[in-house]
Structure formats: structure tokens, C-alpha cells
Amino acid sequence: MFIGDWLSMGASFLCAIHCVFLPVFFSTLPLWGIEIIENMWLEVATIMVTAIIGSWAIWRGYKNFHRSKLIIALFGLGFLLMLIANIHIFHSLEHVLKLAGAVLITFAHIKNWKKSHHCIVN
């Protein structure tokens, strides 16, 4: 597996944890004046790290090995869902959209790895 795929899957996993599980575990932090859950900069940084590392890994697999547009579409749709989830008019769907986006991004990386690995082995 390429290092970019590992980093991208890890970033997607951390994003899913941040988006879904942090609100559950840290819902009491505002009582002490700590605002990590609604921190806009943490949201932007998480999405940008996922986008930059993920795009690099997906593009590398596409360009050098498999040429699967489906993988690029899965990654793009996942990233789009993550961006849409941060628009405040979709607040009631935020967690669902972020989880769906993270799942699509992770699935794209798994497909990217499998197709890239298959091309190397054969």
C-alpha cells in the first residue's frame, strides 16, 4: 500500500472520529469554556489535510496505475459531501453528510489501493 493511501485513510478516519464521536465524548467541554467541537479552524484544517493528502494519493494511483474514473468520482463526491455538511443551512444533516463523505473517501482509497496493487502485481 502506498504511503499516501495510508495517510489519506488515516486522515479520513480521524475526520470521521472528529465529526461523529467527538461531539459525543466532549459534549461537556463547553461547561469549562473549551470549544473544540465548534472550532471552525479545526474543521477547515481537517478537511484540507484530507483533501490535499487524499487528492495526491488518488491522483497518483489514477495516473500511474488504474485510470479508474469511478475512484476519482467516489473521492470527489465524498469531499463534496464534507463541504456541504459545513454549510449551516444543512445543520440537521451535518453528521450524516460528514459520515457519508468520510465513508466514500475511505472507500475510494481502498479501491485505489486494490486497483493500484493489482496493476503492480500483474
Side-chain angles (χ1 to χ4, degrees):
M1 185 176 282
F2 299 113
I3 188 73
D5 289 317
W6 278 108
L7 290 172
S8 298
M9 285 187 278
S12 296
F13 179 72
L14 289 174
C15 184
I17 288 172
H18 166 73
C19 296
V20 177
F21 297 114
L22 270 179
V24 173
F25 293 118
F26 295 115
S27 62
T28 59
L29 289 178
L31 295 173
W32 294 286
I34 301 170
E35 290 292 334
I36 192 170
I37 296 170
E38 297 295 328
N39 187 329
M40 180 186 70
W41 296 110
L42 184 58
E43 292 283 332
V44 170
T46 303
I47 291 172
M48 293 311 297
V49 166
T50 301
I52 292 168
I53 296 171
S55 297
W56 173 73
I58 296 292
W59 178 251
R60 185 171 179 259
Y62 174 82
K63 182 180 161 198
N64 295 330
F65 301 106
H66 53 72
R67 301 282 182 184
S68 173
K69 290 182 173 87
L70 175 64
I71 293 171
I72 290 176
L74 289 170
F75 180 80
L77 180 59
F79 184 68
L80 183 63
L81 289 174
M82 298 292 275
L83 290 175
I84 290 171
N86 282 303
I87 299 172
H88 291 291
I89 57 174
F90 297 109
H91 187 68
S92 61
L93 296 174
E94 180 181 6
H95 296 296
V96 173
L97 291 172
K98 285 182 179 181
L99 182 59
V103 167
L104 284 174
I105 290 169
T106 303
F107 185 66
H109 285 294
I110 291 168
K111 297 278 289 175
N112 187 55
W113 174 76
K114 285 183 178 181
K115 287 198 175 264
S116 297
H117 182 71
H118 177 72
C119 291
I120 292 171
V121 173
N122 291 331

